[in-house]
Amino acid sequence: MSRIHTVHLTASSPDDIAAAGRLLRAGRLVAMPTETVYGLAANALDASAVVRIFEAKGRPADNPLIVHIAEPEALTALCREIPPAALALAQRFWPGPLTLVLPRRAIVPDAVTAGLSTVAVRLPALPAARAVIRAAGTPLAAPSANLSGRPSPTTADHVRADFEGLIDAILDGGPCQWGIESTVVSVAHHPPRLLRPGGVTRESLCEVIPNLVVDPAVRGEPADGETPSAPGMKYRHYAPRAPLTILRGPAVRAADYARSRPGPVAVLCFDEEWNDFAGLARVSYGSRSDPLSLARSLFDALRRLDALNARQLFARCPEGGGVEAAVRNRLRKAAGFQTRDV
Ligand code: TXA
Ligand code: MG
């Protein structure tokens, strides 16, 4: 792809928000902050702009995009039918890190939905994200602003590393509050189905939808030939250069195991285990007792881990519910589902 000039914009500047809106109206690509991760946005109703997202990311065309709106009312223009479960979830969790999959209207281009009869919609909580959508005057299709196969971006620097010279603008809104992508729930399924865990936890979803079903792809790799409900779940989102294995068991035993492997090895660990892994190349991604800190730092830590150029990577993984389940889901995918008990 030919190089272009990437404009650097700041989310706190109203002029820069307006500039982002103008670029998006003109069919251009703008990376923008949200409370989850940075998104690579284009006018969702402009098929040729949407196709550019796929080209820039190197994203498989069969993996549909999330459409971002600034007001709940914008849902009716995109969706044929809004089931009561969708209303209940939107009322409770929007704006916020929850994406709803609903039956779509024909106005949504096939390029966005990968030809599916449904569309994924999200109303982000970050005021700057909603300001950009309003400035653009149109819903915005936005996948995470990483090259396909790289960790999701949680800072403007991550976006620059992947897209400088490849997209029209990057709007810097500082580090993302959540650090992992939104929870995805399909209300086109009956009963509703959790397709991707995230900041809105399964436990809190169940308070609204007690009969929520967890898609099998959330827990493990979909079997060959099985079609996952969220097409994105079948891709190994982030493949580090070196093989990554999750080590389960006491930290000291995990450290002994890592030291026994042919090197160089590197370890992703919790703050509390930093000393247990002494002598090994290591990156901490937050406190074991603060799952939000793990979510916030995970993708940055994975980028830093990869940069250590180790031959084998090991990771410590939280085992609880809530946000820990979402962190575990991302780590397990990064590890290609390789886990070892020590
Ligand atoms: O937090 C987020 O959701 C971020 C920010 C930018 O909003 N976006 C994001 O987009 O994570 P992406 O493209 O990386 O992930 C979208 C996920 C994929 O797993 C995709 O397969 C699924 O949502 N998805 C999109 N449309 C769908 C549909 N119609 N039915 C089922 N799954 C869908
Ligand atoms: Mg993504």
Side-chain angles (χ1 to χ4, degrees), residues 36 39 59 63-64 66 68 118 120 122 143-144 181-182 196 229-232:
T36 57
R59 182 178 176 105
N63 191 5
I66 295 173
H68 297 68
T118 53
R122 176 160 115 75
S144 50
E181 310 87 341
S182 63
R196 180 174 74 183
S229 308

Side-chain angles (χ1 to χ4, degrees), residues 32-40 57 59 62-68 97 99 101-102 112-114 116-122 124 142-146 152 180-184 186 189 195-196 228-235 237 330 333:
M32 66 167 189
T34 81
E35 74 279 19
T36 57
V37 300
Y38 276 73
L40 181 55
K57 276 187 64 105
R59 182 178 176 105
D62 67 349
N63 191 5
L65 307 180
I66 295 173
V67 177
H68 297 68
T99 296
V101 175
L102 299 124
V112 170
T113 67
L116 296 176
S117 60
T118 53
V119 61
V121 186
R122 176 160 115 75
S144 50
N146 52 286
S152 291
I180 52 172
E181 310 87 341
S182 63
T183 304
V184 180
S186 170
H189 283 81
L195 303 184
R196 180 174 74 183
S229 308
M233 299 298 282
K234 75 169 179 258
Y235 297 105
H237 269 206
R330 305 305 189 275
K333 279 207 264 178

Side-chain angles (χ1 to χ4, degrees), residues 72 75 82 84-96 98 100 123 208:
L75 203 52
I82 303 175
L87 282 179
L89 289 169
Q91 247 158 32
R92 170 80 182 267
F93 298 111
W94 278 1
L98 174 67
L100 296 174
L123 202 166
V208 179

Side-chain angles (χ1 to χ4, degrees), residues 29 38 48 67 69-70 117 130 209 221 247 268 276 292 322 335:
L29 301 188
Y38 276 73
S48 50
V67 177
I69 57 177
S117 60
R130 293 205 302 274
I209 310 285
E221 204 166 16
L247 295 180
L268 179 69
D276 296 316
L292 295 181

